[in-house]
Amino acid sequence: MVAAAVVASLCLGTGVAAAGDGWGAPKPGSDGAGDSYYPQDGNGGYDIADYNLKVSYDPASHQLTGNQDISARATQSLSSFDLDLRGLTVDSVKVDGRDAKFARTGDHELVITPSRALWRGQNFKVKIAYHGVPAPISDPALGDNGWQYAKAGGAFVAGEPKSATTWYPVNDTPLDKATFHLAITVPDEWGVIANGREKPSVKAPGGTTHVWAEETPIVPYMTTVAIDKWTFDRQKRKDGTPIVSAFAPGVPDSTKQAEARLPEILDFLESKFGKYPIDAAGGIFLNEQIGFSLETMSRPIYSAGWAGTVPTIVHENAHQWYGDSVAVAHWRDVCLNECFASYATWLWNEAKEGVDLNKQYADNVKKASTAFWNGKLYDMGQGQEFTYVYSKGPMMLHALRNYIGQPAFDWVLKTWPSLHRDGNASMQEFQRFTEFAAHRSLQGFFDAWVYGTGKPADQYLYPGGLKPAA
């Protein structure tokens, strides 16, 4: 009954499509999903259920050859629809076994016109053959995103908010999650790690085919594959969940020792956020300095150096709840990913290192600059998503913890990921849910910390036991 009440409260004010919308004559699906920051990313008119990729890759020439099967359902009657793909050459497209026309427009649109219209509600399959040399997307803040090349000759995929388009056709929006199956053939001397559960590899012409299956619905930018001469570590959680981690040549023993604590880390995060929502775990540890580590689903990918530490492993695995299982509805909501993963390291330090978080918070308040207080946690603007969410974000959550009280805060942390598992959510939905838990309006708090800028008033800055002595 509590769950029913929560769902009812969260549904208030939620818009739905008008009855009959999309039932008319077939028309092209939209060429963007409408995000306010990246309106042309993703597409409309259909929902993808599964990507099934069969790929071969030659590290020597960097040549990738792909055969892709997509299972989807039309959400409107379609005369044509788009997928997103950057740079690679499309050789053929079939829809439901029939040849389809296709064209490229813009920097990433693949426009597909099936030989027969697709009707709303119709399940359909798309088969695409393609090839080429993948190239990364350059980001002014984070560097390269997507398919990247390791100095030792291997390759890996990592990037946010875009990456998947660099190596397979995709509906590149967080709003269209799908399961992900990968069979990739590489020369025998190379190893492969990707999302999900490892399946038996098979000998193939030209090398070995490595098979991975992610059965938890996944946002495209969270998909990955990494090719190197890995050292693998395989273990299991107490409940049998497989943990597979891979270390590139040259990764130090200190990083391997930090990752060895992953079962302990997942147990701790489960105690805070509820049952682990993914069906596999592990990590991919590069010997490359890149501008970030990333919460690729079930198996985060880590930069060399600073990233191979317990706090970073805690942060990226906290994302499996906040960011992966529950993904953003729009990129302006990214605090729902990064603020929570950053606060997870605070919780770890409190539990494992005995850190007094109230003192840490008070010390941070004293030294915070005007620029810090003016940093935005919501609708921060395209290209500014990954800034103050890592520093001001955990401060906001600690203030919220003191403002609504420990029991309500603990219930929110654990129940929110369960309520939205495998879905998407917005900051406004989180506010309403937190108000439900606190039994009062929190508009003043959210205006002060999340939606607005400037130093919050004392009633929101120093709630409860955070108020310093006079």
Side-chain angles (χ1 to χ4, degrees):
M1 291 179 67
V2 170
V6 172
V7 171
S9 73
L10 294 177
C11 287
L12 291 175
T14 300
V16 296
D21 183 41
W23 288 108
K27 61 181 181 180
S30 64
D31 63 356
D35 185 84
S36 58
Y37 295 172
Y38 307 101
Q40 296 305 116
D41 288 0
N43 307 283
Y46 62 89
D47 177 70
I48 292 180
D50 180 70
Y51 296 98
N52 193 325
L53 284 174
K54 295 178 177 64
V55 173
S56 63
Y57 178 68
D58 177 25
S61 66
H62 296 173
Q63 187 72 210
L64 180 147
T65 302
N67 287 281
Q68 179 185 45
D69 290 289
I70 295 174
S71 300
R73 179 180 59 84
T75 57
Q76 68 168 70
S77 296
L78 289 168
S79 58
S80 66
F81 59 92
D82 287 24
L83 290 165
D84 302 307
L85 179 68
R86 292 176 181 268
L88 301 174
T89 298
V90 175
D91 300 309
S92 65
V93 178
K94 293 179 181 291
V95 177
D96 286 339
R98 300 180 183 90
D99 288 339
K101 296 178 181 178
F102 60 92
R104 307 294 289 273
T105 64
D107 67 348
H108 65 260
E109 298 292 341
L110 170 61
V111 184
I112 297 172
T113 304
S115 62
R116 299 179 181 179
L118 301 169
W119 298 99
R120 181 179 177 180
Q122 178 180 340
N123 294 320
F124 63 98
K125 293 187 179 296
V126 184
K127 184 181 289 289
I128 302 171
Y130 63 101
H131 74 278
V133 175
I137 303 164
S138 179
D139 183 281
L142 299 176
D144 285 344
N145 283 256
W147 190 283
Q148 303 175 55
Y149 298 99
K151 289 186 287 290
F156 59 93
V157 177
E160 183 184 15
K162 311 166 194 256
S163 71
T165 57
T166 61
W167 67 294
Y168 66 94
V170 62
N171 190 21
D172 196 19
T173 169
L175 295 173
D176 194 359
K177 295 183 174 185
T179 53
F180 182 75
H181 297 84
L182 174 66
I184 180 167
T185 304
V186 295
D188 289 334
E189 65 269 26
W190 296 92
V192 172
I193 189 164
N195 306 92
R197 296 202 175 203
E198 185 179 21
K199 303 296 183 181
S201 58
V202 296
K203 194 72 181 73
T208 301
T209 301
H210 303 264
V211 183
W212 295 83
E214 181 55 85
E215 303 294 353
T216 305
I218 184 171
V219 169
Y221 80 83
M222 296 172 191
T223 62
T224 191
V225 65
I227 301 153
D228 212 319
K229 296 175 181 177
W230 304 107
T231 297
F232 286 92
D233 179 73
R234 295 175 173 88
Q235 52 183 315
K236 289 185 177 182
R237 295 191 69 205
K238 294 174 184 176
D239 64 2
T241 300
I243 300 175
V244 182
S245 298
F247 305 92
V251 169
D253 287 343
S254 59
T255 295
K256 297 175 183 178
Q257 291 161 6
E259 178 69 355
R261 298 184 70 180
L262 183 56
E264 176 193 359
I265 290 168
L266 292 176
D267 287 348
F268 171 77
L269 294 172
E270 200 169 63
S271 74
K272 297 296 182 181
F273 301 153
K275 183 173 174 55
Y276 181 61
I278 318 294
D279 68 351
I284 303 169
F285 292 85
L286 306 173
N287 194 18
E288 304 291 324
Q289 290 280 357
I290 60 175
F292 54 90
S293 294
L294 183 65
E295 62 271 17
T296 41
M297 182 178 275
S298 71
R299 200 152 286 111
I301 191 165
Y302 299 91
S303 173
W306 55 270
T309 61
V310 168
T312 307
I313 294 169
V314 170
H315 178 107
E316 301 304 341
N317 280 281
H319 274 308
Q320 305 305 306
W321 287 263
Y322 284 91
D324 288 25
S325 177
V326 185
V328 293
H330 303 280
W331 282 106
R332 61 177 178 257
D333 298 308
V334 75
C335 180
L336 293 177
N337 297 9
E338 300 300 344
C339 296
F340 287 85
S342 298
Y343 192 62
T345 65
W346 284 40
L347 294 173
W348 174 269
N349 290 337
E350 179 182 46
K352 302 293 184 175
E353 308 295 337
V355 172
D356 182 341
L357 293 188
N358 284 350
K359 182 180 184 303
Q360 177 176 306
Y361 173 92
D363 290 344
N364 287 354
V365 168
K366 289 177 185 176
K367 66 184 180 184
S369 65
T370 300
F372 177 90
W373 293 119
N374 285 336
K376 297 195 72 175
L377 296 182
Y378 174 76
D379 204 8
M380 57 287 291
Q382 179 184 344
Q384 301 299 313
E385 301 95 314
F386 306 106
T387 50
Y388 290 96
V389 289
Y390 301 102
S391 52
K392 187 179 176 183
M395 295 272 288
M396 177 273 291
L397 286 172
H398 194 67
L400 180 65
R401 171 179 170 178
N402 281 268
Y403 191 66
I404 67 174
Q406 190 74 47
F409 186 76
D410 288 346
W411 189 79
V412 167
L413 280 190
K414 187 169 285 189
T415 309
W416 172 261
S418 171
L419 184 66
H420 292 278
R421 183 171 177 171
D422 297 338
N424 303 78
S426 70
M427 182 59 75
Q428 289 73 26
E429 288 174 301
F430 179 75
Q431 177 187 337
R432 290 197 296 269
F433 181 69
T434 308
E435 289 172 335
F436 175 84
H439 304 294
R440 58 192 166 112
S441 171
L442 299 175
Q443 192 63 51
F445 181 94
F446 276 80
D447 285 342
W449 273 101
V450 178
Y451 304 131
T453 57
K455 189 174 182 178
D458 279 5
Q459 70 189 97
Y460 307 120
L461 185 64
Y462 294 123
L466 294 178
K467 189 170 179 64

